[in-house]
Amino acid sequence: MAISKILSLTTAIGSAPSYSARAWVSFNGTGTVAINDSANVTSITDGGVGIYTVNFTTNMPDANYSCVATPGYATSTDLNFNASVHAPAVGSYIIRTRNVNGGSQGDLSLITSAVFR
């Protein structure tokens, strides 16, 4: 049975177009960084406290993609943190997690991210 390509997606309500994530990841950023689940993400590189590089399995066509990252609030200490995306590249991007009260970077037990293009 041949697999056909899906050329477009439809939305359940409304006429706005729908687009799939090109990559996504859920990972534990404390201790030894570990991916919980993902799509098109081959690994996470720990760059130090609160710095993570997300590496794609298949590169993006260019670095002009939209990327979001969020702290997962797995513990009460995670509530004081935000996550931001830096240095998008064809094969990777960086996530930084920072305490909103003191500005210091910190490791979080749950971080999620998605890439759209």
Side-chain angles (χ1 to χ4, degrees), residues 92-115:
S92 66
Y93 60 95
I94 295 171
I95 296 174
R96 292 180 185 258
T97 53
R98 184 174 300 279
N99 186 299
V100 296
N101 295 320
S104 60
Q105 291 185 172
D107 289 341
L108 299 181
S109 55
L110 179 62
I111 302 164
T112 60
S113 183
V115 174

Side-chain angles (χ1 to χ4, degrees), residues 33 44-53 94-96 105 107:
V33 175
I44 305 292
T45 305
D46 189 344
V49 176
I51 304 170
Y52 312 96
T53 300
I94 295 171
I95 296 174
R96 292 180 185 258
Q105 291 185 172
D107 289 341

Side-chain angles (χ1 to χ4, degrees), residues 49-96:
V49 176
I51 304 170
Y52 312 96
T53 300
V54 178
N55 303 294
F56 298 127
T57 304
T58 301
N59 288 345
M60 294 295 129
D62 54 46
N64 298 321
Y65 50 83
S66 173
C67 187
V68 293
T70 59
Y73 305 127
T75 68
S76 60
T77 57
D78 292 350
L79 292 173
N80 295 322
F81 282 81
N82 64 20
S84 58
V85 175
H86 301 268
V90 171
S92 66
Y93 60 95
I94 295 171
I95 296 174
R96 292 180 185 258

Side-chain angles (χ1 to χ4, degrees), residues 1-69:
M1 177 175 171
I3 297 174
S4 62
K5 291 184 180 182
I6 297 174
L7 300 177
S8 66
L9 299 174
T10 59
T11 56
I13 298 173
S15 60
S18 179
Y19 300 97
S20 300
R22 298 290 294 263
W24 63 268
V25 65
S26 169
F27 67 95
N28 178 347
T30 60
T32 301
V33 175
I35 294 174
N36 300 320
D37 205 355
S38 68
N40 196 30
V41 172
T42 189
S43 64
I44 305 292
T45 305
D46 189 344
V49 176
I51 304 170
Y52 312 96
T53 300
V54 178
N55 303 294
F56 298 127
T57 304
T58 301
N59 288 345
M60 294 295 129
D62 54 46
N64 298 321
Y65 50 83
S66 173
C67 187
V68 293

